């Protein structure tokens, strides 16, 4: 058993008969009354994010997890197939436990969080950013870099990302996976 002082980002806990991952937390010590911890918890089974407040000293049940590297192979409807990079075993996971499946291209290396008690895959964590090629967008305007105006662009995985006006088809762009936003154009 852990307490609220052990709370950190990425910690997996049992809460309301489910397994949740702490994605954000804040220790609060108000001027009046006892301290507490405000958290955002993401369900590792449904993907829903909930807000919760734990009082100081509250006991929480930690879930033992391990991270393993897997290579994304292909999608079959709402099922995604991955291969362990160490022993080449393959697993199939539902789309709901993936953070941003629309930004995954075949061959991408991802981190799978596995519960050690029963070897159950809980979540798939993408790299912080991915580099994808723009397959369709309206033609770019030369010299139009001063404004913050954006236009939609379709990338090679089929996702639609808002990009600056100077981006053209065939450009490679870096995308932040947590927000699904454009970061920069990659020169080759």
């Amino acid at each position: 058993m852990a307490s609220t002082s052990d709370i950190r980002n990425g910690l997996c806990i049992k809460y309301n008969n489910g397994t949740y991952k702490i994605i954000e937390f804040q220790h609060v010590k108000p001027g009046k009354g006892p301290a507490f911890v405000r958290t955002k918890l993401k369900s590792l089974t449904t993907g829903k994010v909930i807000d919760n407040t734990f009082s100081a000293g509250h006991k929480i049940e930690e879930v033992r997890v391990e991270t393993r590297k897997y290579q994304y192979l292909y999608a079959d409807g709402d099922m995604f197939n991955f291969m362990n990079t160490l022993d080449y075993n393959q697993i199939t996971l539902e789309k709901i436990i993936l953070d941003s499946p629309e930004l995954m291209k075949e061959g991408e290396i991802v981190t799978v969080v596995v519960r050690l008690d029963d070897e159950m895959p809980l979540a798939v964590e993408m790299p912080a950013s991915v580099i994808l090629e723009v397959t369709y967008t309206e033609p770019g305007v030369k010299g139009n870099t001063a404004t913050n105006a954006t236009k939609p662009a379709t990338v090679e995985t089929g996702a639609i990302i808002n990009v600056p006006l100077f981006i053209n088809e065939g450009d490679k762009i870096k995308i932040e996976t947590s927000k699904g936003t454009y970061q920069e154009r990659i020169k080759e």
Side-chain angles (χ1 to χ4, degrees):
M1 286 295 243
S3 72
T4 53
S5 61
D6 300 318
I7 287 179
R8 64 186 183 282
N9 286 341
L11 179 72
C12 294
I13 62 171
K14 271 196 169 121
Y15 176 73
N16 277 357
N17 298 325
T19 305
Y20 288 82
K21 180 179 178 181
I22 296 173
I23 54 175
E24 200 175 293
F25 74 98
Q26 179 183 18
H27 287 278
V28 179
K29 174 69 175 109
K32 194 176 202 179
F36 58 91
V37 181
R38 241 186 235 127
T39 61
K40 276 189 192 253
L41 305 172
K42 180 178 182 181
S43 171
L44 295 179
T45 50
T46 64
K48 287 176 75 174
V49 176
I50 60 170
D51 291 320
N52 188 49
T53 303
F54 293 104
S55 56
H58 183 85
K59 297 290 183 202
I60 52 176
E61 190 174 346
E62 207 173 329
V63 176
R64 290 187 34 171
V65 296
E66 184 178 87
T67 58
R68 299 178 185 159
K69 296 290 183 194
Y70 278 80
Q71 181 179 20
Y72 170 57
L73 299 176
Y74 61 92
D76 187 14
D78 278 353
M79 303 303 280
F80 287 73
N81 294 283
F82 297 88
M83 178 182 66
N84 190 321
T85 56
L86 295 176
D87 60 12
Y88 306 110
N89 285 337
Q90 292 187 20
I91 59 171
T92 303
L93 301 174
E94 290 184 45
K95 182 178 185 173
I96 197 158
I97 72 167
L98 304 175
D99 285 340
S100 42
E102 68 280 353
L103 297 176
M104 255 191 325
K105 68 178 179 180
E106 293 178 3
E108 188 81 46
I109 301 294
V110 297
T111 304
V112 176
V113 179
V114 179
R115 183 170 48 210
L116 289 177
D117 297 345
D118 55 3
E119 292 292 316
M120 171 85 175
L122 298 174
V124 176
E125 297 172 350
M126 294 276 293
S129 61
V130 292
I131 297 172
L132 297 172
E133 185 175 332
V134 175
T135 56
Y136 174 77
T137 189
E138 298 296 321
V141 181
K142 194 172 182 89
N144 200 345
T145 58
T147 64
N148 286 338
T150 60
K151 63 182 179 180
T154 306
V155 293
E156 61 187 292
T157 60
I160 297 175
I161 307 291
N162 283 330
V163 298
L165 297 174
F166 58 85
I167 298 293
N168 293 309
E169 285 182 23
D171 287 350
K172 291 196 183 294
I173 59 172
K174 188 176 192 179
I175 301 167
E176 186 178 354
T177 55
S178 62
K179 298 176 186 162
T181 56
Y182 166 88
Q183 283 187 312
E184 63 181 330
R185 178 169 53 179
I186 303 296
K187 296 276 190 188
E188 294 179 341

